[in-house]
C-alpha cells in the first residue's frame, strides 16, 4: 500500500512539473495525427484513381496510343503470357519471345485463335547472353512496335546465402534479369522515338524496394530494373514514350510455390490473368506501380513497420520463400 501511495505521489509531482509541456505535446500529437490522416487520404485517393477508375471508364485505345505490335519477353507462362493475352484482347498483335519453340507455337496459336489477332514468335534463350540479340534485332526490324514488355526473369530455386548460389545462376540472373531488358529496350526504343510514340513496361518486383536477404542477387537485379525504368522515363517522356516500372508482389505463378496456400488467397496473391488485367489498365497512367490494388496497399504500408499490412506482407513473403525451399 505504501508503495502505491508513493507511486501516486510521485506521479502527481511529475504531472505538476510537466504541466507546462502538456499543451506543446498536444500540439505535436495533433500535428502528427493530421499529417498521418492526410497521407492516408491521399493514398486512398491514388488507389481508387489508379486501380478502380480506369477499369470503370471506357478502355484506352492502345493501338492508337502506342502502335499495332506488342513484344513480350518470357511470354509462354505466368505473367508474361497473361499480359500478352490481355494486350491481344485489346486488339494488339503480339510477338512472343521465349526459349521453348513448341510452347511458343502453342501459346501463339492459342492467342491468335482466341483474340483474332496476328501473332509471331521469336525463339531466344536470354541466358545465352550477347549472341541472341542480333537475330532478335533482325526479326523486329520494320515492325511498328508500340509496346515492349520486359517480363522475363529467373529466380532462385530457394532462398540461399549468396556464396551458396551457383556461378551459373548468377550469370543467368545477370543475363536474363538485367541484360535482356536493357538490350530489348536498346533494340525497340529508336523506332518508338522515330514514331514519337510507344510504351516500355518492365516487370520488376516488390523485392526491389528493400534489400532482401537470401535473395541478394535477385532483389538487386530487380532494383536495377526499377531504377533503369524510372531513369528512362525521365529521358524519354518528352519524346512521346511512356515508360512504366511494374513492381508486383506475389502472383500465383510457377515462380511462387504452386500448391501452397498462398495461391488460394486470391485477393493478396492474384492469378496472372487477374493481375495482367489490372496492370494493363494502369498503362499510360502510372510510371511506377505495383499494378494491383492490394499490392499497392502493401507497398504503402511498408514505411510503417508497425501496421498490420506490413505483418501480412512479411508473413506472405516468409511463407512464400519457405514454400520455395
Ligand atoms: N510470380 C510472382 O510472384 C512475381 C512477383 C514479382 C515479380 N515477378 C516478376 O514477373 C515476371 C514473370 O514472372 P512469372 O512468375 O510469370 O514467371 P514464370 O511463370 O516462371 O514464367 C517465366 C517465363 O519466362 C520464360 N523464360 C524463363 N527463362 C528464360 C530464358 N532464359 N530465356 C527465355 N525465356 C525464358 C519462361 O519460359 P519457359 O516456360 O519456356 O521456361 C516463361 O515463359 C518476372 O520478371 C518475375 O521476376 C513475379
Amino acid at each position: 500500500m505504501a508503495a502505491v501511495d508513493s507511486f501516486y505521489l510521485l506521479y502527481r509531482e511529475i504531472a505538476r512539473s510537466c504541466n507546462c509541456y502538456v499543451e506543446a505535446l498536444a500540439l505535436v500529437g495533433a500535428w502528427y495525427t493530421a499529417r498521418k490522416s492526410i497521407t492516408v487520404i491521399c493514398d486512398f485517393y491514388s488507389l481508387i484513381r489508379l486501380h478502380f477508375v480506369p477499369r470503370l471508364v471506357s478502355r484506352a485505345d492502345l493501338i492508337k496510343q502506342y502502335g499495332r505490335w506488342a513484344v513480350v519477353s518470357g511470354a509462354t507462362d505466368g505473367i508474361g503470357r497473361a499480359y500478352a493475352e490481355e494486350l491481344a484482347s485489346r486488339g494488339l498483335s503480339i510477338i512472343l519471345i521465349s526459349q521453348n519453340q513448341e510452347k511458343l507455337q502453342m501459346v501463339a496459336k492459342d492467342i491468335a485463335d482466341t483474340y483474332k489477332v496476328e501473332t509471331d514468335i521469336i525463339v531466344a534463350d536470354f541466358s545465352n547472353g550477347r549472341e541472341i540479340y542480333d537475330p532478335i534485332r533482325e526479326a523486329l526490324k520494320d515492325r511498328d512496335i508500340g509496346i515492349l514488355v520486359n517480363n522475363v526473369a529467373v529466380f532462385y530455386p530457394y532462398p540461399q546465402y549468396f556464396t551458396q548460389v551457383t556461378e551459373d545462376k548468377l550469370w543467368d540472373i545477370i543475363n536474363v534479369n538485367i541484360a535482356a531488358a536493357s538490350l530489348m529496350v536498346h533494340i525497340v526504343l529508336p523506332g518508338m522515338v522515330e514514331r514519337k510514340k510507344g510504351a516500355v513496361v518492365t516487370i520488376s518486383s516488390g523485392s526491389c524496394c528493400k534489400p532482401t536477404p537470401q535473395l541478394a542477387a535477385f532483389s538487386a537485379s530487380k532494383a536495377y530494373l526499377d531504377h533503369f525504368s524510372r531513369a528512362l522515363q525521365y529521358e524519354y517522356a518528352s519524346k512521346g514514350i511512356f515508360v512504366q516500372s511494374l513492381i508486383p508482389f506475389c502472383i500465383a505463378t510457377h515462380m511462387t510455390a504452386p500448391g501452397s496456400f498462398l495461391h488460394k488467397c486470391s485477393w493478396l496473391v492474384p492469378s496472372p490473368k487477374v493481375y495482367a488485367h489490372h496492370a494493363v489498365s494502369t498503362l499510360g497512367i502510372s510510371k511506377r506501380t505495383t499494378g494491383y490494388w492490394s499490392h499497392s496497399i502493401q507497398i504503402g504500408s511498408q514505411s510503417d513497420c508497425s501496421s498490420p499490412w506490413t505483418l501480412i506482407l512479411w508473413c506472405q513473403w516468409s511463407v512464400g520463400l519457405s514454400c520455395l525451399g
Side-chain angles (χ1 to χ4, degrees):
M1 196 64 195
V4 173
D5 281 352
S6 54
F7 173 76
Y8 181 64
L9 280 175
L10 180 66
Y11 172 76
R12 270 187 30 196
E13 264 321 293
I14 292 172
R16 194 176 304 138
S17 55
C18 287
N19 219 9
C20 53
Y21 301 116
V22 168
E23 279 180 16
L25 286 174
L27 274 178
V28 172
W31 172 77
Y32 180 80
T33 312
R35 223 183 67 151
K36 278 277 165 199
S37 310
I38 290 169
T39 310
V40 168
I41 291 167
C42 290
D43 287 352
F44 185 69
Y45 169 74
S46 318
L47 190 81
I48 302 289
R49 190 185 62 87
L50 180 60
H51 296 292
F52 295 100
V53 174
R55 294 189 304 117
L56 294 177
V57 297
S58 66
R59 302 203 297 184
D61 182 347
L62 298 179
I63 299 182
K64 197 167 151 208
Q65 216 169 331
Y66 302 118
R68 194 163 82 82
W69 285 90
V71 182
V72 184
S73 69
T76 45
D77 223 325
I79 300 171
R81 177 177 179 163
Y83 207 105
E85 287 182 5
E86 184 63 30
L87 291 177
S89 78
R90 307 273 195 116
L92 276 95
S93 302
I94 312 288
I95 299 170
L96 305 104
I97 310 183
S98 220
Q99 59 189 342
N100 183 319
Q101 180 156 13
E102 273 170 36
K103 260 173 108 173
L104 272 170
Q105 283 166 339
M106 193 217 20
V107 175
K109 184 173 179 320
D110 222 36
I111 292 178
D113 290 349
T114 311
Y115 301 102
K116 312 290 174 232
V117 294
E118 254 184 274
T119 55
D120 202 351
I121 61 168
I122 299 176
V123 184
D125 182 345
F126 287 102
S127 64
N128 287 343
R130 201 166 174 173
E131 70 192 44
I132 62 165
Y133 294 99
D134 280 343
I136 294 180
R137 196 184 292 276
E138 195 52 33
L140 296 182
K141 201 174 67 182
D142 306 327
R143 284 267 170 82
D144 166 19
I145 309 294
I147 302 177
L148 167 67
V149 184
N150 288 312
N151 164 76
V152 72
V154 288
F155 196 46
Y156 285 19
Y158 48 86
Q160 285 171 307
Y161 283 97
F162 185 70
T163 49
Q164 291 168 348
V165 182
T166 62
E167 211 177 301
D168 284 347
K169 180 57 83 179
L170 288 177
W171 278 115
D172 282 354
I173 287 175
I174 293 165
N175 283 323
V176 182
N177 298 15
I178 297 176
S182 316
L183 271 292
M184 287 304 298
V185 171
H186 205 254
I187 290 170
V188 304
L189 199 52
M192 290 180 175
V193 172
E194 210 175 290
R195 291 186 291 276
K196 296 190 178 64
K197 61 180 183 179
V200 176
V201 179
T202 298
I203 305 191
S204 173
S205 158
S207 70
C208 79
C209 304
K210 293 205 170 170
T212 315
Q214 302 211 343
L215 290 177
F218 175 80
S219 74
S221 71
K222 291 298 181 177
Y224 169 87
L225 294 177
D226 184 40
H227 278 241
F228 174 60
S229 302
R230 291 159 73 189
L232 278 182
Q233 168 68 17
Y234 285 120
E235 285 184 30
Y236 287 93
S238 61
K239 296 176 170 52
I241 316 298
F242 182 81
V243 186
Q244 185 184 53
S245 176
L246 268 184
I247 43 176
F249 285 76
C250 269
I251 316 285
T253 69
H254 292 302
M255 219 179 242
T256 49
S260 79
F261 84 90
L262 277 178
H263 284 213
K264 295 182 185 89
C265 192
S266 59
W267 65 279
L268 270 180
V269 185
S271 68
K273 190 176 165 59
V274 169
Y275 177 75
H277 182 62
H278 281 72
V280 171
S281 71
T282 68
L283 188 56
I285 302 173
S286 175
K287 294 173 277 184
R288 186 174 186 253
T289 170
T290 62
Y292 187 64
W293 65 272
S294 77
H295 293 183
S296 290
I297 295 175
Q298 290 173 44
I299 207 169
S301 64
Q302 270 198 346
S303 54
D304 182 2
C305 296
S306 60
S307 85
W309 286 108
T310 310
L311 284 177
I312 291 172
L313 172 69
W314 280 112
C315 290
Q316 191 186 328
W317 272 106
S318 332
V319 173
L321 295 182
S322 53
C323 288
L324 277 172

